[in-house]
């Protein structure tokens, strides 16, 4: 399956600032996804990012707060804007890997652990 | 809408004990079913999957069978190890979107 890396792996930020998280894949993939995992909780889909089109956001998430870029088939960024302590979470990207032969399976990056003070 | 319900944790077992983590789902159509595992401080790893009724997914000694009649996908392992301590997530995909259960924390004591 695809190898997925994320930067940074963790960060501590001040409220009111913004952080951009990078997701890099070692092969070309069509669909990339961004999730949030709040402390002790399950995963919630923020948005789906397809190359060449605007990201599709899930209910409760807006582009002004979580702008996403998808400049090519191997890379995406998620920005957490104007952060507050409630944004403290693990942010994970995932991909569907066509090389793995299944379009129903997502593979996850290692996550970015964000703490907002 | 689609949903996944898992047994709440934590589940605490002694090494070599038998593990069952229950998972039931509600979905339209015929979803694919997954178990993911999250080790401490790490991201999610795909543990196993099943794509149709009566399929059995298996990996690293873990098994789960897709039971359409009971809408279940329970995770089992015959003999757990301390290294299996992690959070386990059941999930379904009914059309390009994963829906996760709440997660079950497993703690295995020596």
């Amino acid at each position: 399956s695809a190898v997925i890396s994320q930067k940074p792996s963790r960060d501590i930020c001040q409220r009111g600032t913004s952080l951009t998280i990078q997701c890099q894949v070692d092969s070309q993939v069509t669909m990339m996804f961004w999730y949030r995992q709040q402390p002790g909780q399950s995963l919630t889909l923020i948005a789906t990012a397809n190359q060449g089109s605007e990201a599709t956001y899930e209910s409760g998430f807006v582009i002004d707060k979580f702008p996403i870029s998808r400049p090519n088939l191997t890379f995406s960024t998620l920005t957490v804007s104007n952060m507050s302590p409630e944004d403290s979470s693990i942010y994970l990207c995932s991909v569907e890997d066509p090389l793995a032969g299944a379009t129903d399976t997502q593979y996850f990056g290692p996550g970015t652990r964000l703490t907002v003070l | 809408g689609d949903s996944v319900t898992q047994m709440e944790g934590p589940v605490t077992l002694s090494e070599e004990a038998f593990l069952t983590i229950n998972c039931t789902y509600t979905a339209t159509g015929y979803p694919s079913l997954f178990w993911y595992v999250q080790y401490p401080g790490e991201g999610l790893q795909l543990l196993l999957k099943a794509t149709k009724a009566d399929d059995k997914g298996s990996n690293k000694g873990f098994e789960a069978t897709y039971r359409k009649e009971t809408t279940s996908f329970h995770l089992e392992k015959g003999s757990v190890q301390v290294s299996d301590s992690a959070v386990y997530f059941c999930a379904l995909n009914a059309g390009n979107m994963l829906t996760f259960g709440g997660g079950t924390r497993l703690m295995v004591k020596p």
Side-chain angles (χ1 to χ4, degrees), chain A residues 1-3 25-29 31 95-103 105-107:
Chain A
S1 62
V3 176
V25 190
D26 69 345
S27 59
Q28 294 184 338
V29 296
M31 299 187 74
V95 305
E96 288 181 353
D97 183 6
L99 293 179
T103 57
T105 305
Q106 292 183 24
Y107 298 88

Side-chain angles (χ1 to χ4, degrees), chain A:
Chain A
S1 62
V3 176
I4 306 163
S5 59
Q6 286 185 232
K7 289 182 181 179
S9 59
R10 60 178 66 240
D11 208 341
I12 300 173
C13 300
Q14 298 297 319
R15 69 173 66 210
T17 62
S18 298
L19 177 71
T20 295
I21 301 167
Q22 299 178 8
C23 180
Q24 180 76 52
V25 190
D26 69 345
S27 59
Q28 294 184 338
V29 296
T30 302
M31 299 187 74
M32 297 181 75
F33 307 85
W34 286 98
Y35 289 83
R36 181 176 71 181
Q37 185 180 22
Q38 295 177 299
Q41 303 296 313
S42 186
L43 280 75
T44 302
L45 181 64
I46 297 172
T48 302
N50 293 333
Q51 194 267 338
S53 62
E54 294 288 328
T56 302
Y57 289 83
E58 297 300 308
S59 175
F61 297 96
V62 295
I63 188 171
D64 289 347
K65 176 67 175 178
F66 297 101
I68 288 171
S69 77
R70 182 78 201 274
N72 57 52
L73 291 174
T74 63
F75 187 78
S76 178
T77 66
L78 169 76
T79 298
V80 186
S81 302
N82 188 25
M83 288 184 286
S84 67
E86 291 71 34
D87 295 318
S88 297
S89 296
I90 301 172
Y91 292 86
L92 299 106
C93 69
S94 72
V95 305
E96 288 181 353
D97 183 6
L99 293 179
T103 57
D104 63 349
T105 305
Q106 292 183 24
Y107 298 88
F108 286 80
T112 296
R113 284 152 186 78
L114 171 62
T115 301
V116 183
L117 302 178

